[in-house]
Amino acid sequence: MAVSSFVKKRTKIEVTGIVQGVGFRPFVYRHALLHSLSGYTLNNGGGVLIEVEGDELHISKFLETLKNAAPTLSRVDALVSFDIPLQDSDGFTILESQTRTLNTMIPVDISICSDCQKEMQDPQNRRYQHPFINCLNCGPRYSVIDSLPYDRKNTSMQTFDMCDECRSEYEEPSSRRFHAQAISCPKCGPKLSENTSIKRFTQLIKEGKPAAIKGIGGFHILCDASNVEAVQELRLHKNRPKKPLAVMFKNLASIKEACSLSREEEVLILSRERPIVLVRKKKNSLIAESVAPNIDKIGVFLAYTPLHELLLNELDCPIVATSANVSGEPIIRDEKELLNRLPFVTQSVLTHDREILNSCDDSVVMSVEGESVMLRLGRGYAPKSFYRAKKITKKILALGANQKSTITMAFDNHLILSPHIGDLNSIEAFEYFVRTLETFKRFYSFEPDIIVCDKHPGYETTKWAKDYVAKNPNIELLEVQHHYAHALACMAEHDLEGEALAFCFDGTGYGENEEGNASLWGGEVLRVTPREYKREYHLGEFSLLGGEKATGEPRRVALGLLFECYS
């Protein structure tokens, strides 16, 4: 008589990483059914919690699937499983989320996927030309999240009640929109503003007028990239006289007409993150020379939202698509602020009623000898998280410098880097820094034990840190020399623990000279370890005319060098 090999057990599984807002629970649901397992799954503050009951062999295969075949947008940092008492449960369900100590990673905004593109272009589909089409594989995440766990009620989509058809898709395990939190359709989803249609909006661009459109992480200012006068008008109002502007194209073929692309650059342009990619521009192309004057490179990218795609389908030209802000200030996310700060676009704004809760600029990358180099961390990549096998015993908040500022939080096994905040040279920029900081503290119920900042007493981040510690004396303040911080970042990136020689050429950084007096360091060689450094060599010192103002005006540096050499 044959003996059955069936051994029934129940296993509890805790998964951490980027596992919310990426279709992980629907993935778990489908594979639990596939392996004839009962139980449940839910989002909680740690990530995703699963309990499965069934044949021991099937549970083993289910665990292998979780580890090796998770959804494309997910990242499993840790998976812990252990057996628990049997409950003789029937069926498998997705339960309401639980909240507790939060350390799940925030999902990023992802460009429209090919499936949604096809549906949006199909006249027979109920989402035909729907500007907010999305599914488990694409659409807004970080920009619409108010709090974790990632559920519709915790996003700016909470004000839009699903219609019966969307609800049916949301609850259907075989659907691409099964538990897709931002699901909507023309009946029940966000709406474009009534005063400007897409056709009317594109007509204004064709007429050479600058216009503004609400994207995922903020507004873009647009104009015809081939119209010299339109580009100049945009530059005038944005107070950006020469800095290069990014150009959005309809497809890869149109980019190739204007630019020379390597295979690696094509891959970056077509990636799901849809970053701005710096590439070599062709001479005598359709693009106005004033878009990127006096340089041989240009930033290009493809439409990444359904609204941008619908817009480009109506146009027959590439468009300048630059962040809606006054130069040096953060990207604008609110229509009232847009019209107040940039009144020249008053008559040409295409907006909608889905609120942007978290601003996020477009990412900028370039390919260098086949390797992608991040120049600005933003949409599609940020918030960026790192998992460390060694647990961090204290909660650490690290603040960036005054230029190209970001923040990083470290706790448990996680480091979380915010999107690019920018230069903190204005009240608006500093308010954006504070808002971003408060957002991340809210996401993770985070209060630091240690705050790390730059030594420079004039940096806004340093002032904020000192003020915060003065009001919270139980928090430790750690000030780090600017170039030593860069050296430590390189060591961390390459997992170096011992002693290293660091060649630091990064403009100026606040430090102390051999006599212990404060000075600006401009280029040195440091002998460094993770805990200390020694300045071994440095460039000769000379007077900077106007102090740090000279770093933005090279003629002052040149004159300072002449005085040093010739008195």
Side-chain angles (χ1 to χ4, degrees), residues 366-397:
M366 68 183 296
S367 178
V368 179
E369 296 184 349
E371 296 288 331
S372 62
V373 176
M374 183 66 64
L375 302 180
R376 183 170 75 191
L377 185 71
R379 173 192 49 76
Y381 296 93
K384 189 171 182 63
S385 58
F386 303 88
Y387 181 82
R388 284 173 47 91
K390 186 177 180 181
K391 193 168 185 177
I392 301 163
T393 56
K394 293 188 176 182
K395 293 182 178 180
I396 304 170
L397 170 63

Side-chain angles (χ1 to χ4, degrees), residues 24-35:
F24 202 87
R25 287 178 302 166
F27 160 78
V28 168
Y29 179 94
R30 287 191 293 270
H31 284 277
L33 295 183
L34 186 65
H35 290 91

Side-chain angles (χ1 to χ4, degrees), residues 94-374:
I94 296 180
L95 298 181
E96 188 76 13
S97 297
Q98 294 178 349
T99 56
R100 57 179 178 83
T101 302
L102 299 173
N103 62 3
T104 189
M105 300 300 101
I106 303 165
V108 299
D109 301 311
I110 293 295
S111 64
I112 181 172
C113 68
S114 58
D115 289 325
C116 284
Q117 281 179 319
K118 290 174 185 175
E119 290 178 349
M120 187 176 68
Q121 295 163 4
D122 180 7
Q124 305 304 314
N125 192 283
R126 71 188 190 91
R127 290 189 175 87
Y128 176 58
Q129 294 195 336
H130 179 44
F132 309 99
I133 190 170
N134 67 84
C135 68
L136 282 173
N137 302 319
C138 68
R141 264 77 166 177
Y142 168 68
S143 59
V144 298
I145 294 175
D146 179 62
S147 61
L148 296 172
Y150 177 64
D151 290 320
R152 192 180 181 97
K153 65 182 180 181
N154 296 330
T155 73
S156 58
M157 288 298 295
Q158 65 173 314
T159 58
F160 304 99
D161 294 328
M162 281 185 268
C163 65
D164 291 341
E165 290 173 287
C166 284
R167 175 68 63 181
S168 176
E169 290 175 303
Y170 182 84
E171 296 174 349
E172 172 52 52
S174 64
S175 169
R176 205 174 77 253
R177 295 186 172 89
F178 182 46
H179 278 256
Q181 302 304 328
I183 184 176
S184 73
C185 74
K187 287 183 184 177
C188 64
K191 300 287 190 296
L192 293 177
S193 53
E194 296 180 358
N195 58 335
T196 308
S197 67
I198 291 178
K199 286 187 179 295
R200 170 60 183 149
F201 187 75
T202 55
Q203 185 58 40
L204 291 170
I205 294 174
K206 290 176 182 178
E207 292 171 2
K209 296 180 174 62
I213 187 172
K214 190 175 185 179
I216 280 187
F219 279 86
H220 275 135
I221 305 177
L222 313 176
C223 75
D224 181 349
S226 63
N227 187 321
V228 176
E229 290 76 16
V231 174
Q232 288 304 113
E233 185 178 350
L234 184 152
R235 285 190 175 282
L236 176 66
H237 290 296
K238 188 176 159 71
N239 189 27
R240 188 170 174 171
K242 292 185 178 180
K243 194 174 179 181
L245 300 166
V247 180
M248 182 179 284
F249 291 79
K250 184 176 181 178
N251 50 43
L252 187 65
S254 60
I255 295 179
K256 287 183 174 181
E257 291 177 2
C259 309
S260 300
L261 304 181
S262 68
R263 177 57 189 156
E264 291 79 11
E265 288 165 344
E266 287 188 24
V267 170
L268 283 171
I269 291 167
L270 294 170
S271 68
R272 67 190 182 209
E273 291 83 6
R274 290 287 196 275
I276 297 170
V277 183
L278 294 190
V279 299
R280 189 173 300 277
K281 62 181 180 181
K282 292 179 178 178
K283 294 181 179 179
N284 304 318
S285 75
L286 178 68
I287 307 301
E289 174 61 27
S290 54
V291 168
N294 304 319
I295 59 174
D296 64 352
K297 289 190 178 292
I298 188 171
V300 302
F301 61 140
L302 296 174
Y304 56 84
T305 76
L307 181 55
H308 284 91
E309 184 141 318
L310 290 171
L311 174 67
L312 284 169
N313 285 340
E314 288 288 328
L315 288 167
D316 56 0
C317 63
I319 53 175
V320 167
T322 185
S323 300
N325 61 349
V326 176
S327 188
E329 295 183 5
I331 188 171
I332 294 172
R333 63 185 175 127
D334 177 76
E335 185 179 355
K336 290 182 180 178
E337 183 186 356
L338 175 78
L339 299 180
N340 180 48
R341 303 289 296 163
L342 302 172
F344 70 96
V345 296
T346 301
Q347 302 303 317
S348 50
V349 178
L350 186 57
T351 186
H352 54 78
D353 56 358
R354 185 179 69 201
E355 186 179 1
I356 298 172
L357 297 180
N358 304 305
S359 312
C360 196
D361 260 308
D362 295 316
S363 294
V364 182
V365 302
M366 68 183 296
S367 178
V368 179
E369 296 184 349
E371 296 288 331
S372 62
V373 176
M374 183 66 64

Side-chain angles (χ1 to χ4, degrees), residues 510-521 541:
Y510 182 89
E512 294 179 344
N513 59 23
E514 284 77 1
E515 290 76 36
N517 299 317
S519 65
L520 290 177
W521 293 2
E541 295 181 353

Side-chain angles (χ1 to χ4, degrees), residues 84-96:
I84 59 175
L86 290 169
Q87 295 184 14
D88 291 324
S89 58
D90 293 322
F92 193 90
T93 56
I94 296 180
L95 298 181
E96 188 76 13

Side-chain angles (χ1 to χ4, degrees), residues 501-516:
L501 201 61
F503 292 76
C504 305
F505 298 94
D506 176 53
T508 57
Y510 182 89
E512 294 179 344
N513 59 23
E514 284 77 1
E515 290 76 36

